[in-house]
Amino acid sequence: MFSRRNFLTAAVGVAAATGLAACAKEDDSASDTAGGSGSKALVLGFSQVGSESGWRSANTDSVKEAAKTAGYTLKFSDAQQKQENQISAIRSYITQGVDVIAFSPVVVTGWDAVLKEAKAKKIPVVLTDRSVETSDESLYVTLVGSDFTDEGRRAAKILEKVLAKAGKTGAVKIAQLEGTTGAAPAIERAKGFKEVMDADHADDWKIVVSQTGDFTRAGGKQVMAAFLQSNPDIDVLFAHNDDMGIGAIQAIEAAGKKPGKDILIVTVDGVKDGFIAMSEGKINAIVECNPLLGPQLMEVVQKVKNGETVERWIKTEEGDFMQDQAAAALPTRKY
């Protein structure tokens, strides 16, 4: 297992390169040749989901900064949450003959064709953050990311503590704000939460309403407002990310209720704005999903380029936080 704290320190030479993925925003980042050696830089093509949340922005910054530190030429594309844009970007990287392709998949399915094209050109593919479902697992080398199912389980377990601290007993009505439909974190966080709920709380917990908010604040606010119209007696909100939770807080306050008190809130991510909301008592607990994957990704990319064996799945380090930890945790957050 690689630690997120293990940064690459040796730089390799860099040569500038350009490229464009149809329908997606793309930029190329390069640095000067290291040590005057004149050696060619490793070229990494990276396709990002989009910029839908604070987590995603932190993840993008981490990848760009780590590539610069490593001395790689980075070809970066923002898919704007559209799978067709991401596929176009990957095909562009294949045409350009990059050394390694990495991407965070918008959704789980629909990747076999483009991954087969990369394999045919002998370009290794590394998944970041999210997994895919494929008929042939040899189409990608490894996944650098989090255990989303376990995050869902941890959200349910920390909700037990939140309920106990609030003195809430008996039946619990839960609203769930899901992530983007078909995306691995949305599927797996819901699965993990339900596993614990069904095993330990079949008689007292019930998800009364569940809908996607697309991992955005606007989506969280809109969907939560609708939840409160149809289910005004909700006890708990489980949001698949902080941004949807923050949007939901706005809807809860607009309805004249107190987030964190009238409606207990558990979210996933641990971005700065989430911790601010928790320090204000508006979010009760957060399950961390670490976005700082850049250093791990660059270490893996170098190993893959060198033909070294890497683990099939490389997990990030994570933690859980409650309101009474927020003030101490906030100053240490880098994202």
Side-chain angles (χ1 to χ4, degrees):
M1 182 185 298
F2 293 100
S3 170
R4 73 186 183 197
R5 298 181 179 89
N6 290 338
F7 289 81
L8 288 176
T9 57
V12 295
V14 179
T18 58
L20 178 66
C23 303
K25 294 180 178 178
E26 182 173 324
D27 71 79
D28 298 345
S29 300
S31 59
D32 295 332
T33 302
S37 64
S39 59
K40 183 180 179 182
L42 184 153
V43 181
L44 170 65
F46 181 80
S47 178
Q48 180 62 281
V49 171
S51 53
E52 74 283 356
S53 65
W55 191 100
R56 191 62 55 190
S57 297
N59 180 241
T60 293
D61 290 344
S62 177
V63 170
K64 289 183 175 181
E65 290 169 8
K68 183 177 181 180
T69 298
Y72 299 163
T73 297
L74 178 67
K75 294 177 175 291
F76 179 89
S77 177
D78 179 343
Q80 300 174 316
Q81 292 187 280
K82 295 180 180 179
Q83 185 179 31
E84 60 268 29
N85 289 351
Q86 206 157 41
I87 290 172
S88 294
I90 293 170
R91 285 190 169 132
S92 173
Y93 298 150
I94 294 170
T95 299
Q96 295 172 58
V98 302
D99 294 304
V100 180
I101 292 171
F103 75 108
S104 180
V106 175
V107 293
V108 170
T109 59
W111 302 104
D112 278 23
V114 72
L115 293 181
K116 287 177 181 177
E117 292 171 25
K119 185 176 181 180
K121 293 295 184 180
K122 301 186 182 336
I123 301 176
V125 175
V126 176
L127 303 180
T128 69
D129 177 37
R130 300 178 176 186
S131 62
V132 299
E133 291 179 3
T134 175
S135 59
D136 180 2
E137 290 195 348
S138 72
L139 295 178
Y140 68 93
V141 178
T142 188
L143 163 64
V144 181
S146 303
D147 187 337
F148 297 134
T149 302
D150 189 55
E151 288 173 355
R153 296 187 192 107
R154 285 159 47 205
K157 298 304 289 187
I158 205 167
L159 175 58
E160 293 175 337
K161 297 178 181 179
V162 168
L163 289 167
K165 186 175 180 180
K168 173 66 177 174
T169 59
V172 177
K173 295 182 179 180
I174 303 171
Q176 180 174 233
L177 274 170
E178 304 168 25
T180 303
T181 302
I187 295 168
E188 295 168 18
R189 285 170 185 162
K191 175 185 174 183
F193 188 90
K194 193 171 187 300
E195 280 181 10
V196 173
M197 187 177 76
D198 290 349
D200 300 336
H201 299 282
D203 296 331
D204 54 339
W205 290 13
K206 182 180 180 180
I207 296 177
V208 294
V209 63
S210 183
Q211 186 176 321
T212 179
D214 282 327
F215 284 127
T216 67
R217 294 191 190 191
K221 180 179 181 179
Q222 180 179 3
V223 175
M224 190 66 195
F227 284 174
L228 291 170
Q229 287 289 326
S230 60
N231 295 271
D233 55 350
I234 291 168
D235 300 304
V236 170
L237 170 66
F238 169 42
H240 287 187
N241 78 341
D242 290 345
D243 280 81
M244 289 191 296
I246 292 167
I249 286 170
Q250 297 172 13
I252 292 168
E253 290 176 332
K257 295 178 179 288
K258 293 183 178 180
K261 293 185 179 180
D262 296 330
I263 298 178
L264 304 176
I265 300 176
V266 173
T267 66
V268 180
D269 269 357
V271 298
K272 182 177 180 180
D273 286 352
F275 271 88
I276 290 173
M278 191 165 68
S279 69
E280 295 171 344
K282 296 180 180 182
I283 290 178
N284 301 87
I286 296 175
V287 173
E288 181 188 15
C289 180
N290 176 28
L292 305 183
L293 305 181
Q296 285 177 294
L297 174 60
M298 299 312 146
E299 187 172 352
V300 169
V301 165
Q302 184 65 68
K303 288 178 177 291
V304 168
K305 177 60 178 174
N306 292 344
E308 299 177 40
T309 300
V310 297
E311 298 173 69
R312 185 62 179 168
W313 177 46
I314 300 165
K315 186 179 178 182
T316 60
E317 298 177 12
E318 299 176 319
D320 300 332
F321 303 88
M322 290 183 65
Q323 277 181 358
D324 53 5
Q325 297 171 284
L330 182 58
T332 68
R333 310 307 287 179
K334 296 181 180 179
Y335 50 91

